[in-house]
């Protein structure tokens, strides 16, 4: 039977490896030689597991989505990674890597971030351990993820803007690698996803695998089996997906569903659907599938979600695609945003926009009544409120939330200090009334 885990050389089938500049060989060689030894030690496991429990808040719940299950006539569970400290799964990995960096004697941490969740998680653990932290973030992402930028700075991190290329995640990663080349001795690079040179894809997947292993234990209690029929997650680089999929990679009874960002449409020229648009190549030190021109130049990706705005996928996921072990589905901005609202209004959970892509497959796939479907609810949506508000044009509605007990009243102007009486806006009141009284 085919093994879908990494091999001794750092490859998942045809993908992976370490294609790096000479200056990084000492750091990567050190990690390759020591990461298994350190992470399997008793002292590491004790500290890692204690922090996951006492600091991160694990285990996270496996929540039965009653209303969604009824609507789609199947059994739908949400692995609630949005309830982790910092609001996403990213901290599982940063806890592991900060302990590893400490044991390697590193005094400085760098990281890249797109949606900002990995940046916040890295800044958090650096504050916890008292280690200097520098986070690289694309200029565009800094603008659209302002709340997370503020959190990073409040936690003591230096946030450096990547202003080249598309000014998003890819470019932030480029800048972080340049920093590491310039500071190879005292600096550890906490990569946030299952990308980059070996051993990063495997190392990050191992730290995130707590998601999948908890899921197995929790399913036994509620379904009397540790096997779901489907595990579903969004895939950019793919760390949240790798964490959920990890225990099920070689269990062919479990269907793996990877959900990518189609952006404005797969063939629109503004997409991040790597499995469809990508070809084999090397990006950020690993061989994988990536969006590129015929002469090997990286194609700029696009997604409304900053965390999926990446031109490649991790080598684990590239292998899942090539071998057909994984079912890859692309979801456009419109459907992802719609599902952000649906999950909010049906289950009372506002998801990150990355996460909402995954739930959109409920309208793309057919499920049986006795199927057991586990979604990785990988992050909460408060970081994306500005995007939700602008997309759905909710600026004015938010002023009415305190007054919804009576649709005929007036509402305040935008300046709370104004001495003028509040104005009446009949059309806006009608609009809100229609929203809250329809279907």
């Amino acid at each position: 039977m085919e093994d879908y885990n990494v091999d001794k050389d750092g490859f998942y089938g045809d993908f992976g490896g370490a294609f790096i500049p000479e200056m990084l060989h000492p750091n990567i060689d050190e990690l390759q030689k020591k990461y298994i030894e350190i992470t399997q030690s008793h002292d590491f496991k004790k500290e890692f597991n204690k922090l996951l429990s006492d600091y991160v808040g694990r285990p996270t719940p496996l929540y039965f989505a009653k209303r969604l299950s009824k609507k789609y006539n199947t059994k739908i569970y949400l692995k609630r990674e949005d309830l982790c400290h910092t609001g996403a799964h990213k901290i599982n990995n940063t806890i592991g890597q900060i302990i590893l960096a400490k044991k390697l004697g590193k005094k400085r941490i760098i990281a890249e971030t797109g949606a900002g969740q990995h940046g916040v998680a890295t800044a958090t653990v650096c504050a916890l351990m008292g280690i200097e932290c520098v986070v690289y973030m694309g200029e565009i992402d800094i603008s659209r993820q302002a709340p997370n930028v503020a959190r990073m700075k409040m936690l003591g991190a230096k946030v450096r803007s990547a202003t080249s290329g598309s000014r998003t995640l890819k470019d932030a990663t480029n800048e972080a690698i340049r920093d590491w080349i310039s500071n190879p001795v005292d600096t550890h690079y906490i990569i946030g996803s299952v990308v980059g040179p070996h051993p990063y894809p495997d190392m990050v997947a191992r730290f995130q695998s707590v998601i999948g292993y908890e899921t197995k234990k929790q399913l036994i209690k509620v379904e009397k089996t540790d096997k779901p029929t489907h595990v579903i997650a969004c895939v950019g680089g793919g760390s949240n997906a790798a964490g959920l999929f990890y225990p099920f990679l070689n269990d062919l009874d479990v269907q793996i569903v990877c959900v990518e960002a189609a952006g404005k449409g797969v063939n629109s020229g503004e997409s991040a659907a790597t499995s469809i648009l990508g070809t084999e190549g090397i990006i950020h030190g690993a061989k994988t599938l990536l969006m590129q021109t015929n002469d090997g130049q990286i194609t700029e990706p696009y997604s409304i979600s900053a965390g999926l705005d990446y031109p490649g996928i991790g080598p684990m996921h590239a292998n899942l695609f090539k071998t057909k072990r994984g079912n890859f589905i692309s979801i456009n901005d419109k459907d992802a945003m719609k599902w952000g609202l649906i999950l909010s209004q049906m289950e009372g959970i506002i998801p990150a926009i990355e996460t909402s892509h995954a739930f959109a497959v409920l309208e793309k796939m057919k499920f049986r009544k006795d199927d057991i479907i586990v979604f990785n609810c990988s992050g909460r949506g408060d970081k994306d409120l500005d995007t939700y508000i602008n997309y759905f044009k909710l600026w004015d509605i938010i002023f009415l939330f305190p007054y919804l007990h009576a649709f005929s009243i007036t509402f305040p102007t935008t300046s709370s200090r104004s001495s003028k009486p509040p104005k009446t806006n009949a059309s806006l009141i009608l609009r809100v009334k229609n929203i809250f009284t329809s279907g």
Side-chain angles (χ1 to χ4, degrees):
M1 186 181 78
E2 186 167 356
D3 188 353
Y4 295 95
N5 288 294
V6 71
D7 66 21
K8 61 182 179 61
D9 298 315
F11 280 84
Y12 298 84
D14 295 331
F15 303 103
F19 301 88
I20 53 175
E22 189 67 29
M23 286 286 289
L24 288 182
H25 273 282
N27 286 29
I28 294 299
D29 289 347
E30 180 183 41
L31 281 174
Q32 289 176 352
K33 291 173 183 176
K34 295 183 177 180
Y35 86 105
I36 293 293
E37 176 188 345
I38 291 175
T39 59
Q40 295 302 309
S41 70
H42 173 75
D43 287 347
F44 181 95
K45 288 181 178 179
K46 183 178 179 181
E47 185 174 6
F48 181 59
N49 290 330
K50 183 172 178 57
L51 285 172
L52 288 183
S53 171
D54 298 349
Y55 190 68
V56 176
R58 304 206 71 90
T60 57
L62 184 68
Y63 165 69
F64 178 66
K66 184 176 180 180
R67 293 188 67 203
L68 279 179
S69 297
K70 182 178 180 180
K71 179 177 176 62
Y72 290 96
N73 195 32
T74 190
K75 290 184 277 189
I76 298 171
Y77 288 89
L78 277 58
K79 184 58 173 161
R80 295 294 307 278
E81 294 302 292
D82 57 311
L83 297 180
C84 287
H85 177 43
T86 73
H89 68 289
K90 293 293 188 179
I91 199 166
N92 303 322
N93 170 50
T94 60
I95 288 284
Q97 287 206 51
I98 199 71
I99 301 172
L100 177 64
K102 189 173 65 171
K103 291 185 179 297
L104 291 172
K106 304 301 181 181
K107 305 298 183 185
R108 179 175 178 268
I109 297 296
I110 58 173
E112 89 297 328
T113 193
Q117 288 298 144
H118 174 59
V120 170
T122 301
T124 297
V125 298
C126 287
L128 178 68
M129 298 294 182
I131 296 178
E132 179 186 355
C133 179
V134 177
V135 179
Y136 290 91
M137 191 171 189
E139 185 179 41
I140 288 176
D141 293 338
I142 286 175
S143 175
R144 61 180 170 177
Q145 299 292 333
N148 277 342
V149 176
R151 290 186 183 99
M152 285 182 267
K153 291 181 177 180
M154 190 169 182
L155 289 161
K158 298 174 183 175
V159 181
R160 294 183 179 171
S161 177
T163 57
S164 63
S166 62
R167 297 171 292 154
T168 55
L169 179 57
K170 168 182 68 70
D171 312 289
T173 306
N174 291 341
E175 293 300 325
I177 291 173
R178 290 188 185 102
D179 184 311
W180 204 21
I181 291 172
S182 301
N183 301 279
V185 177
D186 68 339
T187 297
H188 176 69
Y189 180 12
I190 298 186
I191 292 180
S193 195
V194 285
V195 298
H198 177 66
Y200 278 103
D202 180 53
M203 183 167 63
V204 175
R206 286 172 183 264
F207 292 146
Q208 293 291 1
S209 68
V210 64
I211 301 170
Y213 285 118
E214 283 181 6
T215 298
K216 287 171 69 73
K217 290 180 181 179
Q218 291 166 323
L219 277 176
I220 290 174
K221 292 182 179 180
V222 294
E223 293 289 349
K224 312 304 181 190
T225 178
D226 66 351
K227 285 187 181 184
T229 57
H230 302 75
V231 285
I232 304 175
C234 62
V235 173
S239 63
N240 89 93
L244 179 60
F245 300 164
Y246 195 89
F248 307 107
L249 288 174
N250 292 328
D251 187 343
L252 301 186
D253 292 333
V254 179
Q255 186 175 154
I256 291 172
V257 183
C258 307
V259 186
E260 293 183 301
K264 295 182 180 179
V266 171
N267 298 313
S268 67
E270 296 184 81
S271 179
T274 303
S275 66
I276 299 173
L277 301 173
T279 54
E280 294 183 18
I282 295 170
I283 184 172
H284 299 140
K287 182 182 178 185
T288 187
L289 291 174
L290 66 146
M291 294 163 53
Q292 58 184 332
T293 62
N294 291 334
D295 57 355
Q297 298 301 307
I298 302 297
T299 302
E300 300 295 351
Y302 164 79
S303 170
I304 196 169
S305 58
L308 302 182
D309 197 355
Y310 186 69
I313 52 176
M316 173 195 287
H317 302 304
N319 186 52
L320 293 176
F321 175 76
K322 187 171 183 178
T323 60
K324 295 181 170 52
R325 174 68 182 96
N327 177 15
F328 280 69
I329 297 175
S330 299
I331 299 296
N332 63 32
D333 289 352
K334 181 180 178 181
D335 288 342
M337 295 299 287
K338 179 179 77 172
W339 269 91
L341 280 185
I342 290 173
L343 189 64
S344 299
Q345 295 175 4
M346 289 197 69
E347 297 293 344
I349 297 169
I350 302 174
I353 296 173
E354 292 81 8
T355 306
S356 67
H357 281 74
F359 289 97
V361 304
L362 286 170
E363 293 182 340
K364 306 289 184 181
M365 297 178 64
K366 298 293 184 183
F367 299 100
R368 298 174 301 180
K369 187 175 182 179
D370 59 348
D371 281 344
I372 302 170
I373 305 157
V374 177
F375 285 91
N376 194 350
C377 192
S378 54
R380 67 186 185 216
D382 53 340
K383 72 179 181 63
D384 292 317
L385 283 181
D386 280 350
T387 304
Y388 279 127
I389 289 167
N390 289 327
Y391 186 87
F392 291 111
K393 298 180 173 56
L394 301 176
W395 322 286
D396 42 12
I397 292 177
I398 59 175
F399 292 112
L400 285 171
F401 285 160
Y403 309 107
L404 291 177
H405 64 283
F407 289 107
S408 60
I409 55 86
T410 58
F411 72 101
T413 61
T414 56
S415 174
S416 59
R417 298 180 181 179
S418 175
S419 59
K420 297 179 180 180
K423 299 178 181 179
T424 300
N425 188 324
S427 63
L428 177 57
I429 291 170
L430 179 60
R431 177 180 163 208
V432 176
K433 185 174 181 178
N434 288 337
I435 289 174
F436 286 90
T437 58
S438 62

